[in-house]
Amino acid sequence: MVILLCILLTRGMVKAQTTSQQGGEEYRPQIHFSPKAHWINDPNGMVLNKGVYHLFFQYYPDSSVWGPMHWGHATSKDLIHWVEKPIAIYPDSLGYIFSGSAVVDKNNTTGFGKKGQAPLVAIFTHHDPVGEKAGSNTFQNQSIAYSLDDGNTWIKYAGNPVLKNPGITDFRDPKVMWYQAQKKWIMTLATKDRVTFFSSPDLKEWTKESEFGQELGAHGGVWECPDLFTLEDAGKKVWVLIVSINPGGPNKGSATQYFLGDFDGKSFTPFSIETKWIDYGTDNYAGVTWSNTGNRKIFLGWMSNWQYATVVPTTNWRNAMTLPRELQLKHVGSNLLIASQPVSELSGIQGKPIVIEKLKISDSLILSKKIGAVKFPCRLTISMEKASDFSLSFSNDLGEELLVGYDKKLNQYFIDRSKSGKTTFEKGFAARHTAPRFTSRSNINISLILDVSSVELFADGGLTTMTEIFFPNKPYSKILLQQAGKAVIKKLEYIKLRSTLQK
Ligand code: FRU
């Protein structure tokens, strides 16, 4: 009897292990950061310090759905290989640790530095769940913590919170930068339906400077996770203000808009009032840029959407980050736009490219026959002389497919995940999403980074980007290119990417 029980128990355990192995491991990104276990959302505190890129993130270590927030931590030397570290900042009596940023306090304005060593300072929102439940409107306040050992351990400032809530229910996600022209810190804070700028000499005392956006941009949801920084346009500085909103994105749910303009240490003045989006796909949210990277501006977002982030079909771990992307300004006619490209460090995991030039197609072509067995992660880049309707279908033998393409009449790129595999966990997930094409050039170029459960589309040198996740029941192995009539692909490049997961 005892033996039988033992056998049954062992089987049960084996079964439980198998289920949890399947419970998401088959979807674990191979070249994107995901937590070893449990829940993540927004990237936080991204800062470059002594050659190491730090990525903190909203993390709940007790479950794979959202809960009391901590700052998880990962580091990388090349933005591609990530090492997950112990939790950096834990909730306390002031509340959960919501999103925020980190800076290197080079001038030791805080006085936290010791023996000439610049402290790292994290600026985050303390979210008090007790106050929230009690119906208070001051339950989100800004606090700071510092590290004197390169981000490994953090000491919370005894005078927290440093910026108290004046009575605004959504008062969070501080992004701080050093404003050299007036030698002061600027905090950009999401304050419900606008951003509010504050300044400080020492990260401890904050003064309100101005508000922006109550009547500008998209307002389908609450404003969250802003960022303020500069990009160069022909030697001139242009100020970029990034604001995530949820819901209200161009393809439903969470998304990130941006404004270009001027900032004078007090107010932000936009060049235009039109709403622009960093990424038109459904799965790039709460993205901001790394601090302390000089002229290089590197952006990374959370590769999910609040519409379904808590119910995607993974159980051991939930959600991942996008690839880090380098941002640049580009002129397109009279329009000034942000173009995003995967960071060049990605080349470090590339296999030998398979290149095919002047490939003639009429109607359709099974690309996988030309380039051999297709395996994700990979990068596929296609250039054509003439922009005309085309689609790439990634499919498996269960009839599940992901479609990525261009619709000439509507001048739109699209990603269709309607039949991509598991889709019923949320009613809006199975859908076709679109993004405008901005350039009117006749030649077209798209580059896709495909991981086992995500696609990132960079079209026309990154002028249009779309990021989307999917969950096939079997990996896709076939690529079919469909094209209206006859066409010549000028160049096709297929590159396998090596997994960055630590074995
Ligand atoms: C955005 C967000 C932030 C908040 C955090 C909480 O996804 O709602 O505004 O700080 O997530 O986890």
Side-chain angles (χ1 to χ4, degrees):
M1 189 61 188
V2 176
I3 295 173
L4 183 66
L5 197 67
C6 282
I7 293 172
L8 285 177
L9 271 177
T10 325
R11 289 219 177 128
M13 275 165 66
V14 170
K15 187 151 179 267
Q17 266 172 20
T18 322
T19 320
S20 73
Q21 267 295 312
Q22 290 165 346
E25 288 312 312
E26 67 275 36
Y27 300 126
R28 183 177 288 284
Q30 301 292 303
I31 57 164
H32 293 82
F33 176 77
S34 65
K36 285 207 175 77
H38 308 309
W39 166 271
I40 65 163
N41 55 288
D42 317 355
N44 295 148
M46 300 196 296
V47 62
L48 173 62
N49 180 49
K50 301 182 187 162
V52 175
Y53 292 92
H54 292 264
L55 168 63
F56 299 90
F57 45 86
Q58 291 287 280
Y59 184 51
Y60 183 38
D62 295 331
S63 165
S64 49
V65 290
W66 190 91
M69 284 289 114
H70 300 53
W71 271 26
H73 187 198
T75 58
S76 172
K77 289 200 170 137
D78 63 359
L79 293 161
I80 304 293
H81 296 84
W82 292 97
V83 178
E84 196 173 336
K85 303 275 201 182
I87 291 173
I89 311 182
Y90 284 80
D92 57 36
S93 61
L94 294 176
Y96 303 163
I97 313 299
F98 269 24
S99 288
S101 48
V103 293
V104 183
D105 181 14
K106 289 180 188 158
N107 305 323
N108 197 18
T109 62
T110 51
F112 294 148
K114 292 224 172 84
K115 296 185 196 138
Q117 193 204 348
L120 286 181
V121 183
I123 309 97
F124 56 87
T125 301
H126 254 131
H127 171 100
D128 170 23
V130 183
E132 183 186 23
K133 234 183 163 179
S136 148
N137 57 4
T138 57
F139 56 87
Q140 293 184 337
N141 295 279
Q142 317 321 314
S143 290
I144 57 178
Y146 62 98
S147 171
L148 298 176
D149 60 1
D150 297 320
N152 285 325
T153 57
W154 292 81
I155 304 159
K156 288 187 192 122
Y157 174 53
N160 281 340
V162 291
L163 174 59
K164 286 208 177 123
N165 192 321
I168 302 171
T169 41
D170 297 288
F171 190 72
R172 59 176 179 267
D173 308 339
K175 182 72 161 64
V176 172
M177 60 157 303
W178 178 248
Y179 187 68
Q180 179 58 28
Q182 293 169 16
K183 301 212 169 28
K184 63 184 185 185
W185 297 103
I186 294 290
M187 176 197 291
T188 308
L189 194 70
T191 48
K192 206 179 181 87
D193 56 354
R194 64 197 81 172
V195 298
T196 305
F197 299 106
F198 296 86
S199 68
S200 169
D202 58 2
L203 298 171
K204 293 171 186 164
E205 298 282 328
W206 292 95
T207 308
K208 181 171 165 181
E209 295 286 353
S210 68
E211 294 178 356
F212 171 81
Q214 191 191 5
E215 269 142 28
L216 284 177
H219 281 278
V222 68
W223 282 25
E224 301 184 313
C225 299
D227 192 1
L228 178 73
F229 56 92
T230 58
L231 285 176
E232 294 240 323
D233 173 33
K236 277 201 324 246
K237 263 189 188 174
V238 171
W239 286 86
V240 181
L241 176 63
I242 284 184
V243 184
S244 280
I245 74 165
N246 177 54
N251 281 298
K252 288 211 183 119
S254 327
T256 303
Q257 59 185 320
Y258 69 91
F259 304 88
L260 302 177
D262 264 338
F263 181 73
D264 61 4
K266 185 169 187 64
S267 313
F268 179 85
T269 314
F271 294 156
S272 82
I273 55 164
E274 124 209 36
T275 305
K276 295 171 173 169
W277 300 96
I278 274 270
D279 188 312
Y280 283 81
T282 41
D283 299 291
N284 182 352
Y285 190 60
V288 288
T289 57
W290 258 275
S291 163
N292 200 32
T293 53
N295 283 340
R296 205 176 169 206
K297 284 294 165 240
I298 309 163
F299 171 99
L300 168 141
W302 176 47
M303 199 157 59
S304 195
N305 190 312
W306 281 115
Q307 299 285 112
Y308 42 72
T310 56
V311 292
V312 291
T314 62
T315 48
N316 300 352
W317 61 281
R318 269 226 180 84
N319 304 317
M321 299 301 180
T322 67
L323 276 185
R325 300 163 184 196
E326 189 145 354
L327 305 182
Q328 272 185 330
L329 288 176
K330 281 197 185 167
H331 287 267
V332 182
S334 58
N335 226 342
L336 189 59
L337 295 169
I338 291 184
S340 325
Q341 291 280 20
V343 290
S344 55
E345 286 86 342
L346 189 65
S347 63
I349 55 166
Q350 291 187 349
K352 201 166 167 276
I354 298 178
V355 179
I356 304 175
E357 288 182 29
K358 297 201 184 103
L359 183 65
K360 286 199 183 107
I361 44 170
S362 54
D363 301 326
S364 74
L365 176 81
I366 301 177
L367 274 187
S368 31
K369 282 199 178 149
K370 293 261 168 206
I371 55 184
V374 176
K375 261 197 109 185
F376 293 3
C378 63
R379 180 171 193 165
L380 184 66
T381 305
I382 293 182
S383 343
M384 292 188 204
E385 286 295 2
K386 270 214 192 112
S388 58
D389 282 8
F390 73 87
S391 72
L392 283 159
S393 142
F394 301 91
S395 64
N396 59 24
D397 56 20
L398 302 174
E400 298 170 344
E401 72 169 356
L402 173 81
L403 282 169
V404 182
Y406 173 68
D407 179 328
K408 186 169 169 30
K409 205 162 102 219
L410 298 174
N411 198 29
Q412 284 176 340
Y413 292 100
F414 63 86
I415 297 181
D416 189 339
R417 62 181 179 192
S418 312
K419 297 186 193 125
S420 56
K422 294 191 179 86
T423 57
T424 53
F425 49 86
E426 190 261 336
K427 64 178 179 345
F429 188 85
R432 182 180 186 275
H433 300 127
T434 61
R437 181 173 197 236
F438 292 101
T439 168
S440 49
R441 282 162 65 161
S442 61
N443 59 330
I444 200 162
N445 172 288
I446 64 162
S447 193
L448 302 178
I449 313 272
L450 290 141
D451 203 336
V452 295
S453 56
S454 67
V455 57
E456 288 161 283
L457 160 76
F458 300 89
D460 306 308
L463 284 174
T464 301
T465 58
M466 293 182 87
T467 304
E468 304 238 345
I469 54 173
F470 49 80
F471 303 93
N473 286 298
K474 253 174 120 175
Y476 303 135
S477 53
K478 180 176 163 190
I479 312 180
L480 177 73
L481 177 71
Q482 280 170 309
Q483 159 79 39
K486 284 196 172 63
V488 179
I489 295 182
K490 203 171 140 212
K491 187 172 169 192
L492 178 148
E493 192 178 58
Y494 168 75
I495 302 174
K496 277 197 183 149
L497 299 170
R498 284 187 290 276
S499 172
T500 58
L501 288 182
Q502 287 178 305
K503 294 277 151 45

